[in-house]
């Protein structure tokens, strides 16, 4: 499996494409933003002008797209994957979408004879770039076996979860904790700063304490510096929070902390709209809390 098509070359898709190119894979990519192809073309990526061009001759096609709507379009449109991909290609859905949509796409793919895997990525684009992410896999284990070598290049770990849809659910549950841990870290740093403990010192104390977490390592330095370069854009993460709430309603599960976090992140985007908060990392919630505490004008 050496010829890979990639649909969606945002932060995550670009990081995955770079890893594959460095490992010697033939990668063809498409994104609706032509500028997304420019730097990757210098690395050896073959730009395509549409879904069919990216999938042509591919052993596997990776869909790494920002919204459920864009995923549906790529798979189900008249010029989408289910009508244009090579019959032998494995279709790999890596976007964060609902388990219900994932299952529906898998059923449509199976009806046309395609192998389909549900493979969301747990990790930021920077984690992917350094090989520190995890792939959560749902689908037939025989199809996973065909892709093991490919997945080992993309991520440090590949975890089989179960049937199609189960990996998408696991991804939402994982991002739920990302949301809460990031917001809790921001609150902790703001509380300490308001009382006179410098954020850098507080982060150091927290990192060696029982409260240490992965989000502290990933997003703590951004909060201390007051700069929030996107690893996961706030706008996209609000989509994930919406999917979490919708899935909790479907399953009749109460998520009070997640609901509160969604309100907090929504307020951070609205308050920081003039400064482009939605395009920054979700750690920008820290700036919002600073302002509420009177630490930032």
């Amino acid at each position: 499996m050496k010829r890979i098509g990639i649909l969606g070359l945002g932060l995550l898709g670009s990081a995955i494409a770079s890893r594959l190119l460095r490992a010697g894979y033939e990668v063809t990519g498409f994104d609706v933003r032509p500028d997304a192809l420019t730097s990757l073309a210098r690395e050896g990526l073959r730009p395509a002008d549409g879904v069919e061009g990216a999938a042509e001759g591919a052993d596997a096609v990776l869909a790494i797209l920002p919204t459920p709507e864009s995923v549906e379009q790529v798979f189900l449109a008249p010029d989408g994957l289910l009508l244009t991909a090579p019959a032998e290609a494995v279709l790999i859905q890596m976007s964060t979408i609902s388990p219900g949509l994932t299952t529906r796409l898998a059923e449509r793919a199976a009806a046309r004879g395609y192998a389909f895997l549900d493979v969301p990525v747990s990790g930021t684009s920077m984690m992917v770039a350094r090989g520190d992410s995890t792939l959560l896999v749902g689908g037939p284990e025989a199809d996973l076996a065909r892709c093991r070598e490919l997945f080992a290049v993309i991520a440090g770990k590949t975890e089989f979860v179960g049937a199609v849809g189960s990996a998408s659910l696991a991804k939402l549950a994982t991002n739920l904790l990302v949301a809460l841990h990031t917001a809790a870290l921001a609150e902790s740093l703001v509380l300490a700063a308001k009382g006179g403990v410098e954020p850098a010192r507080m982060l150091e104390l927290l990192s060696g304490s029982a409260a240490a977490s992965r989000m502290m390592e990933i997003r703590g330095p951004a909060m201390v510096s007051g700069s929030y370069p996107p690893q996961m854009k706030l706008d996209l993460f609000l989509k994930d929070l919406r999917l979490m709430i919708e899935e909790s309603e479907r399953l009749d599960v109460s998520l009070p902390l997640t609901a509160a976090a969604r309100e907090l992140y929504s307020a951070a985007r609205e308050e920081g709209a003039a400064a482009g908060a939605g395009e920054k990392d979700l750690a920008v919630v820290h700036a919002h809390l600073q302002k509420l505490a009177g630490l930032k004008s």
Side-chain angles (χ1 to χ4, degrees):
M1 190 171 283
K2 278 300 197 181
R3 296 168 298 176
I4 310 300
I6 298 184
L7 303 170
L9 293 163
L11 292 172
L12 196 60
S14 292
I16 288 173
S18 290
R19 290 191 63 80
L20 292 174
L21 288 165
R22 288 197 300 271
Y25 283 76
E26 298 176 18
V27 182
T28 304
F30 171 68
D31 195 285
V32 295
R33 301 164 300 119
D35 60 297
L37 301 172
T38 305
S39 62
L40 288 167
R42 289 195 290 267
E43 295 181 42
L45 179 129
R46 300 174 181 177
D49 59 4
V51 173
E52 184 174 3
E56 184 178 0
D59 300 310
V61 184
L62 318 182
I64 314 167
L65 298 155
T67 66
E69 295 77 16
S70 59
V71 173
E72 283 196 85
Q73 178 72 15
V74 154
F75 277 90
L76 304 180
D79 59 348
L81 282 179
L82 297 190
L83 291 175
T84 62
E88 67 279 4
V90 181
L91 306 184
I92 303 173
Q93 200 304 107
M94 306 185 78
S95 318
T96 302
I97 58 175
S98 70
L101 175 55
T102 303
T103 301
R104 181 158 62 89
L105 294 175
E107 290 170 349
R108 295 283 292 271
R112 297 197 63 85
Y114 286 108
F116 179 100
L117 286 172
D118 168 24
V119 191
V121 183
S122 178
T124 67
S125 55
M126 290 180 64
M127 292 170 69
V128 170
R130 64 176 183 255
D132 192 27
S133 63
T134 298
L135 300 182
L136 306 172
V137 182
E141 291 190 74
D143 293 333
L144 168 57
R146 292 173 60 190
C147 299
R148 280 280 185 187
E149 184 177 341
L150 171 67
F151 291 165
V153 172
I154 294 172
K157 292 174 64 179
T158 298
E159 297 286 357
F160 179 69
V161 183
V164 163
S166 61
S168 287
L169 179 59
K171 175 62 185 297
L172 292 179
T174 299
N175 277 10
L176 183 156
L177 280 180
V178 168
L180 298 183
H181 286 182
T182 299
L185 174 60
E187 287 192 357
S188 175
L189 293 177
V190 168
L191 175 66
K194 186 73 181 215
V197 180
E198 289 293 324
R201 179 55 177 152
M202 191 64 219
L203 181 63
E204 183 180 23
L205 295 171
L206 288 170
S207 297
S209 76
S213 74
R214 194 67 179 273
M215 287 303 99
M216 202 172 291
E217 172 192 334
I218 293 169
R219 295 194 158 92
M223 294 181 187
V224 169
S225 70
S227 176
Y228 312 100
Q231 299 188 65
M232 165 55 77
K233 292 181 181 179
L234 178 57
D235 277 344
L236 290 180
F237 202 79
L238 282 167
K239 175 266 298 181
D240 293 4
L241 285 161
R242 172 177 60 80
L243 292 174
M244 293 170 207
I245 297 297
E246 289 175 355
E247 193 64 15
S248 74
E249 292 170 350
R250 187 184 73 82
L251 295 172
D252 194 23
V253 173
S254 178
L255 299 180
L257 294 179
T258 306
R262 184 186 182 189
E263 293 301 316
L264 177 61
Y265 285 109
S266 295
R269 180 178 63 176
E270 183 176 350
E271 177 67 36
E279 292 295 306
K280 296 180 180 180
D281 190 76
L282 66 127
V284 75
V285 70
H286 175 252
H288 176 62
L289 290 169
Q290 282 185 306
K291 188 168 185 178
L292 291 178
L295 293 173
K296 182 176 181 180
S297 59

